[in-house]
Amino acid sequence: MTDLTIQRLGHLGDGIAEGPVFVPRTLPGEQVSGEVEGDRMPSPRIERPSADRVAPPCRHYKSCGGCDLQHASDDFVAEWKQEVVRQALAAHGLEAPLRPILTSPPNSRRRATFSAKRTKQGALVGFHARASATIIEIPDCRILHPDLLALRPGIAELAVIGASRKGEISVAVTLSEAGPDVSVREGKPLDGPLELRLAQETERLGLARLTWNGEVIAMRHPPAQRFGRTQVVPPPGAFLQATPEGEAALRAAVLEAVDGAKRVVDLFAGCGTFSLPLAEGADVLAVEGDAEMMRALDTGWRRGRDLHQLSTETRDLFRVPLRPDELSRFDAAVLDPPRAGAEAQVAELAEAGVPRIAYASCNPVTFARDVARLARAGYALDWVQVVDQFRWSPHVELCAALHRA
C-alpha cells in the first residue's frame, strides 16, 4: 500500500500526486492510499477527504464511465474549469476578464451515443464502464434528458434486430422537434427483411428518422433543429451543441462579440448554429468542410423569413483557409473549430486584420495558441465566457471576443 497526497487535477479530471501518479476521482489536498500500478492508482481509498468532496448525485457514478467529477462540489468544478482557461492563456503570456461560468442543468443533454449488444435475455444498453469494454446500464442517468433515457428499450429492440451476436452497435440519438433522430453504426449489413423490420421499428418507436450504417432507412418527419428564426434538418450524425442551454450561452456570446457588424464570415459553420441567428442582422458567408451540412444550412436559410443574405461555401479550412483578400470585406469573423483549433485559418485572419473576432472553442489549449497568434498581430482579448455544457466532465467550452487594437 502507498500513501499519496493529491496536488492538483489534470486536464482529464484525474488527481495528480507526486511522481506523477494519476488517481481517478480524487481532489486536491486529499490523502489517499492504494496499490500503484505504473503511474496510476486505479482504486484509491480516500483517507482524508477534501472539503469540496460531495456525495455523487447519480447512483451509477461508481460503475459508469460517463462522468468524472460528480464527487466534486459545483463551486469547485466551476472554479477549476475557469482556472483551466486562465492557465492555458497564461502559458502564452495572455490574460483576459473571465465572466462567471454558465453551467447546463442536470438531465439536459439532448444527444448521446449509446452502446448496445445482444444478450441471451434480449439486449444490454448503456455506456461503457471507465476504461472498459463492459456496458453499464444507466436507467437513472443524471446527465441525459428524460426523453433520451425513455428510448433505451427501443434501442435494445434495435440491437436484438440488427446487432451481430458477438459485436455491439453504436447508437447516436439526438432529440429534435419532430422526435428522436437515431443513427446506428456497426449494425448488420442491410438486406430486404432487415430493412423492413427497421422501418417498422421506426414507426413503432415514433422516431423522426432512422439511419443504419450511413443509409437512411425511414424518415417519418424531418428531424429539424431550430437556429434563431428558422429550422434546419441536419444530415445524420451532424454536429450539434450538447444542450440547449449551452448552445444559447455560446450563441449569445457570439452575437455580443460581433454586435453591429454588417458583413460576417462564419468559419467552421456546421449546420448554422451561429450563421442563421447572425443572418437576422447581417449578411453572412458560412464556410464548412462538410457539403451535406452546407446544403442543410442553405435550405434552412431559404425557408426562413426576414433574414439577410446568407451564402455558403464548402471548403476544408484546415487545408485551404480563406485568404486575406477573401476576408478583407468582412467586419467580423466567427470561429468555431473542432478540438484541433484553427491554426492555419487564424494565420490568415491575423494577416487580414478583420476588425472583430468571436472565437468559440471546446479546447482551451488550442484556443490559447490561436489567440496568441492573433495577439502578435495586434488583437486584444476583450473577455472570455466559459460554458460548462458537459456537466460533471473535464470538458471546457468557451467563447471569446477579440478586436483589432
Side-chain angles (χ1 to χ4, degrees):
M1 295 287 286
T2 301
D3 295 325
L4 297 173
T5 298
I6 305 302
Q7 298 173 339
R8 59 187 175 88
L9 290 195
H11 69 281
L12 296 179
D14 283 349
I16 301 178
E18 187 176 358
V21 178
F22 298 89
V23 189
R25 299 182 177 180
T26 56
L27 297 172
E30 291 189 325
Q31 292 185 353
V32 300
S33 62
E35 298 295 333
V36 176
E37 302 174 6
D39 63 352
R40 302 191 64 81
M41 180 183 284
S43 302
R45 176 185 175 89
I46 310 300
E47 302 292 351
R48 190 180 71 186
S50 164
D52 292 308
R53 178 171 286 275
V54 298
C58 180
R59 69 181 179 91
H60 308 301
Y61 182 58
K62 289 184 178 181
S63 56
C64 177
C67 293
D68 293 295
L69 293 170
Q70 283 193 3
H71 62 286
S73 69
D74 288 348
D75 288 345
F76 174 87
V77 174
E79 178 53 34
W80 177 71
K81 292 195 175 189
Q82 297 273 76
E83 187 61 24
V84 167
V85 177
R86 288 192 196 97
Q87 291 183 4
L89 290 170
H92 294 273
L94 300 170
E95 60 181 18
L98 266 62
R99 295 176 169 181
I101 193 168
L102 299 175
T103 302
S104 294
N107 295 114
S108 61
R109 282 286 298 272
R110 63 181 172 187
R111 64 176 176 85
T113 300
F114 295 92
S115 295
K117 67 177 181 181
R118 292 168 59 183
T119 66
K120 292 181 179 180
Q121 292 76 31
L124 189 63
V125 177
F127 296 148
H128 286 125
R130 185 181 176 89
S132 170
T134 302
I135 296 176
I136 303 297
E137 292 191 308
I138 37 87
D140 296 320
C141 177
R142 295 296 311 279
I143 287 290
L144 302 183
H145 190 282
D147 290 350
L148 284 181
L149 290 173
L151 200 60
R152 290 170 47 255
I155 294 173
E157 188 61 31
L158 291 176
V160 170
I161 295 170
S164 66
R165 292 187 179 276
K166 294 184 178 180
E168 65 179 51
I169 58 174
S170 175
V171 185
V173 185
T174 302
L175 300 181
S176 77
E177 295 187 2
D181 185 13
V182 178
S183 179
V184 177
R185 294 286 181 182
E186 310 303 327
K188 290 179 182 177
L190 283 170
D191 56 24
L194 176 56
E195 192 164 349
L196 177 60
R197 288 285 306 279
L198 293 173
Q200 291 171 339
E201 282 301 300
T202 302
E203 185 70 31
R204 187 183 72 83
L205 296 174
L207 306 182
R209 177 172 64 185
L210 176 63
T211 305
W212 194 267
N213 293 341
E215 183 174 338
V216 176
I217 300 300
M219 185 165 67
R220 296 173 61 249
H221 305 286
Q225 301 290 338
R226 182 168 295 279
F227 299 139
R229 295 175 186 164
T230 191
Q231 292 180 320
V232 172
V233 180
F239 173 79
L240 186 71
Q241 296 293 341
T243 70
E245 294 84 0
E247 180 182 295
L250 292 170
R251 180 178 63 244
V254 166
L255 293 176
E256 179 184 347
V258 302
D259 183 44
K262 299 302 181 184
R263 297 176 302 279
V264 181
V265 59
D266 186 8
L267 303 164
F268 306 94
C271 291
T273 302
F274 303 134
S275 296
L276 288 164
L278 286 165
E280 295 175 15
D283 293 341
V284 178
L285 170 62
V287 187
E288 166 63 49
D290 189 299
E292 287 189 67
M293 288 199 281
M294 285 290 88
R295 285 193 289 269
L297 170 53
D298 182 67
T299 300
W301 171 73
R302 292 178 186 280
R303 291 175 178 172
R305 295 182 178 180
D306 300 322
L307 298 177
H308 286 240
Q309 180 66 35
L310 191 153
S311 305
T312 60
E313 181 177 346
T314 301
R315 186 160 169 173
D316 184 345
L317 293 172
F318 293 106
R319 299 184 180 211
V320 191
L322 266 66
R323 303 286 295 176
D325 60 328
E326 298 173 283
L327 294 165
S328 61
R329 64 187 177 94
F330 295 103
D331 306 320
V334 175
L335 282 168
D336 185 17
R339 292 190 61 79
E343 192 169 16
Q345 185 60 78
V346 161
E348 305 297 339
L349 278 168
E351 185 176 341
V354 177
R356 279 181 288 168
I357 297 174
Y359 194 141
S361 172
C362 60
N363 185 342
V365 173
T366 55
F367 160 76
R369 176 203 67 198
D370 291 346
V371 169
R373 176 66 181 86
L374 293 169
R376 292 194 296 272
Y379 281 87
L381 188 56
D382 298 323
W383 48 260
V384 178
Q385 175 65 70
V386 181
V387 177
D388 184 8
Q389 63 173 326
F390 290 89
R391 191 183 182 105
W392 296 314
S393 87
H395 296 295
V396 181
E397 304 209 343
L398 60 88
C399 183
L402 301 98
H403 75 276
R404 183 66 177 258

